[in-house]
Amino acid sequence: MNIYFRKIAGPIFNRAQKSNLGRKSINIVFLTRKFIWRFNNKTTAGVYLVKNIHKIFNTNPKLSYAIQIKKLLDKVNIQITDENFIFFLDEFKILSYNNIRVDNISIDYSRTLDNSLHDFKEFYSLKKVNNTKNIDFIQDQLDMIEGIELFILKIIDAIKNSNRQDKDKYIGFFENIINKKVTHFEEALQRILFYNQVLWQTGHYLNGLGRLDKILQDLYYNDINNNFLTKEEAFNLIKNFLKSLHSYYWYKSTAFLGDTGQVIILGGKETDGTYFYNDLTYLFIEAINQLQLPDPKALLRVSKDTPRDLIELSLKTMNTGCGSPLLSNDDIVIDKMIEFGYDADDAYNYVVSACWEPSAVGKGLEQNNINFLSFLKPLNNIFDNESEEFINSINDFDNLFETYKTYLKIEANNLIDILDDVEFNTDPILSMFIDNCKYNQLDVTNGGAKYNHYGITTVSLANTVNSLYNIKQFVFKDKKFSLTEFNNIRKDNFTDCDDLLEQLKTNPKHFGCDDEEIISLTNEIIEYLENCFKDYRNKFGGRIKFGLSSPSYISGGEIISASFDGRRNGEPFSTHISADLNNDYTELMRFASKIDYEGCKFNGNVVDLMVSPNFIKNNFEKFTDYILLSIKLGFYQMQMNVVDSKTLIEAKAHPELHTNLIVRVWGFSSYFNDLPLSYKDLLIERALKNERKLSF
């Protein structure tokens, strides 16, 4: 994710960008990290960078973004291989910027298939001739389009000079990008890859692919019905397409290897209530199943009408451990988007950002991962910073809860202040593919889009609920301690209090259990946070939406003191919507279905299951029934980490024996060997807890 960059690294980067020397230094740091990932060896990475340092080119940030794009694409080293599709990135060519880049967006690739570059150019040229109201915007669009066209012509020349046997076909594909709409399935895949390449090359990270089974449907069936393509040939094309997307995996990753945001949306509920799926829905999932790559990933939109065999194929794929597909429940998500203010057509056509945060494809600026909030931080701020006299004055749970709300509001207001200071870099590429920008003649970063919402993620809700309930029980109900005594034990990091620590961790009433008191406490906390945000409008009129799943469960926990749920100083927070000590999966789903996702609380709410592969294998039909019943019960979203503790422990000790072991990290999958030690340890700990007792 880009949360860390925006909060900490971003300002440093921006200052460095003001000088050529600063930009060069930052680029070297950036590339060093990428090459360490690529070669898995610091020495090799360093030698490679030194040998190629002369290839580094970064644009002048004083130029318009469109001119920078034009100059950058002109410098890109063209690479034509003998592989099926043409896809390449020049890691040494880096676009400069002065403010935050817009990322975490899926463009609507149907626009690229239905329009040529000349179609876009003609629109903007007519606007320019007809006394446009914003000549700077129009000129930026024309400059950027000219740069892309020149880039295509360079690629065509390189294909002509290559050894490819099918060069005439691919020359045609690239010529058509300039002057024709797509007419065949294979050509569509190549065009999507080209525009995806342009986005990555120009510094757009965490790129989603959108609803590929839907936007490719007509081209696929036309080719099939006209005997231009067989189903088997289409399947092989899809596998090669996914392999191309997986290439430069090391370069596309952000926080960790695998964190690319390359999510493919499949299936979905239609406006008439029927469930959309087709051959491509199955083919994409089966291709992911066969390839066993951590990236790209799939999200399957499901509803009560999703066919059983599609759920079975998805479960079979999940059980390989690849982490795909994540399931998103259209019966819940769509209604919440409409309640928030999305037009029905946009809500029914939703995609997600890099992980799972719903958004309207091709409709907005929507920055769904712009920052995060910790629910636990304000609670710990009370007990870390207030005087003993103040803490003693809290005489019952209601008083404590009201005090917590006051501190939560302070945290929310601090976050709002940060959001109000956000400045984005102009972005003519995204503006070409996002509705309303070209008609409003405004860049997407200047309010040109239809939707301009900010999305935040939240973390440590489970730790907060469990902490509050433990205080309620141990202090105010059972009166085992005074609040000050209990706090002193916590501040001492539960030293020599192992029995108490175990009681706090294993309280029968905890987040994730189907208990009215716990569910009520959970909903009251998130409803209060919603009230803190509901009147906010950013400078473009956009609102704040938040969700209950975040990648910050380790990094956020590292800076927070011990908590009353039995978590020690710096230990990780609980993961998403999960309850590792309660492995009754049905109860967890009942709990998740009773969380209130209304208002602005719909920005990704993932039930995270840790499951042993043998458990699914030995209970496959029952687990399929469980998923289908859970959809009807009303979970919001669900993902699985399918792996056993024995494999994880062995892979940590002997990584060479498990080079292809894939695990789910937060909203993406990664090779286990590529993860930091803290993530490996947390996965092992969660797997061990879940294997104590498994049941429905």
Side-chain angles (χ1 to χ4, degrees), residues 658-678:
H658 296 275
T659 55
N660 294 319
L661 176 61
I662 299 171
V663 291
R664 192 79 174 178
V665 184
W666 49 69
F668 69 93
S669 297
S670 179
Y671 291 113
F672 183 75
N673 288 348
D674 291 334
L675 292 177
L677 183 61
S678 57

Side-chain angles (χ1 to χ4, degrees), residues 171-190:
I171 288 169
F173 286 171
F174 278 89
E175 288 176 340
N176 289 350
I177 296 175
I178 297 175
N179 54 39
K180 291 181 182 178
K181 64 182 292 185
V182 168
T183 55
H184 292 290
F185 179 73
E186 182 179 4
E187 180 186 2
L189 295 178
Q190 177 60 72

Side-chain angles (χ1 to χ4, degrees), residues 536-549:
Y536 174 80
R537 298 294 183 272
N538 63 30
K539 59 187 175 183
F540 307 126
R543 300 170 61 188
I544 291 177
K545 46 187 174 176
F546 71 89
L548 307 180
S549 305

Side-chain angles (χ1 to χ4, degrees), residues 101-275:
R101 288 171 299 190
V102 177
D103 56 16
N104 244 314
I105 283 182
S106 298
I107 69 169
D108 186 349
Y109 279 98
S110 65
R111 316 277 173 85
T112 72
L113 307 184
D114 296 336
N115 296 277
S116 68
L117 265 183
H118 281 181
D119 291 331
F120 291 110
K121 187 175 183 179
E122 182 180 12
F123 175 87
Y124 292 117
S125 297
L126 287 172
K127 287 289 182 183
K128 185 175 181 180
V129 170
N130 295 329
N131 299 315
T132 179
K133 62 183 180 182
N134 190 342
I135 190 65
D136 290 338
F137 172 78
I138 297 298
Q139 190 58 54
D140 276 353
Q141 296 303 115
L142 290 171
D143 287 341
M144 180 266 303
I145 290 170
E146 182 181 0
I148 294 175
E149 183 172 350
L150 291 172
F151 184 49
I152 293 171
L153 293 174
K154 286 179 61 177
I155 293 174
I156 291 172
D157 284 342
I159 296 172
K160 290 177 179 177
N161 294 323
S162 73
N163 295 321
R164 288 189 68 117
Q165 299 301 308
D166 54 1
K167 64 173 67 179
D168 289 343
K169 177 175 70 174
Y170 278 87
I171 288 169
F173 286 171
F174 278 89
E175 288 176 340
N176 289 350
I177 296 175
I178 297 175
N179 54 39
K180 291 181 182 178
K181 64 182 292 185
V182 168
T183 55
H184 292 290
F185 179 73
E186 182 179 4
E187 180 186 2
L189 295 178
Q190 177 60 72
R191 188 171 296 193
I192 289 170
L193 285 171
F194 170 74
Y195 278 105
N196 181 263
Q197 169 188 356
V198 170
L199 287 171
W200 284 109
Q201 191 68 68
T202 54
H204 296 85
Y205 288 90
L206 301 164
N207 285 308
L209 280 302
R211 303 185 66 186
L212 292 187
D213 57 348
K214 193 171 183 68
I215 69 175
L216 293 169
Q217 175 178 248
D218 291 345
L219 293 165
Y220 166 79
Y221 281 111
N222 283 341
D223 281 358
I224 293 291
N225 294 335
N226 291 318
N227 297 318
F228 192 84
L229 186 72
T230 67
K231 190 173 181 179
E232 182 180 1
E233 288 169 339
F235 182 61
N236 288 328
L237 287 172
I238 288 172
K239 287 200 292 185
N240 285 325
F241 174 76
L242 295 178
K243 290 177 185 177
S244 295
L245 286 170
H246 183 72
S247 65
Y248 298 91
Y249 168 76
W250 54 274
Y251 184 78
K252 294 178 177 181
S253 298
T254 53
F256 299 132
L257 271 167
D259 181 23
T260 68
Q262 294 192 135
V263 56
I264 295 168
I265 311 299
L266 302 170
K269 190 174 179 179
E270 300 279 57
T271 53
D272 63 2
T274 59
Y275 182 74

Side-chain angles (χ1 to χ4, degrees), residues 467-508:
S467 292
L468 285 168
Y469 188 79
N470 282 343
I471 295 171
K472 183 176 185 178
Q473 177 178 322
F474 284 80
V475 175
F476 298 117
K477 287 177 67 175
D478 298 344
K479 300 188 184 302
K480 291 185 177 181
F481 310 99
S482 70
L483 192 53
T484 299
E485 289 171 339
F486 202 17
N487 187 40
N488 286 336
I489 294 171
R490 179 198 68 88
K491 291 176 77 171
D492 197 34
N493 205 27
F494 302 103
T495 303
D496 298 326
C497 294
D498 291 346
D499 289 344
L500 173 61
L501 199 67
E502 187 66 17
Q503 292 178 59
L504 297 176
K505 288 181 175 181
T506 59
N507 194 327

Side-chain angles (χ1 to χ4, degrees), residues 6 100-106 342 353 359-370 422-427 430-431 434-435 437 443-455 538-542 545:
R6 281 180 167 152
I100 292 174
R101 288 171 299 190
V102 177
D103 56 16
N104 244 314
I105 283 182
S106 298
Y342 288 90
S353 297
S359 64
V361 62
K363 301 289 183 177
L365 172 68
E366 300 190 276
Q367 292 297 275
N368 281 342
N369 293 284
I370 198 166
V422 169
E423 294 290 340
F424 294 104
N425 217 66
T426 56
D427 204 317
L430 290 181
S431 298
I434 291 178
D435 274 3
C437 291
D443 192 90
V444 64
T445 62
N446 289 323
K450 183 175 183 179
Y451 302 113
N452 296 282
H453 305 308
Y454 291 160
N538 63 30
K539 59 187 175 183
F540 307 126
K545 46 187 174 176

Side-chain angles (χ1 to χ4, degrees), residues 508-532:
K509 281 195 173 186
H510 58 270
F511 185 90
C513 69
D514 187 14
D515 177 86
E516 185 176 339
E517 193 172 9
I518 294 294
I519 293 166
S520 176
L521 180 58
T522 300
N523 282 330
E524 196 168 347
I525 292 171
I526 60 176
E527 182 180 357
Y528 185 79
L529 182 60
E530 180 188 10
N531 289 333
C532 294

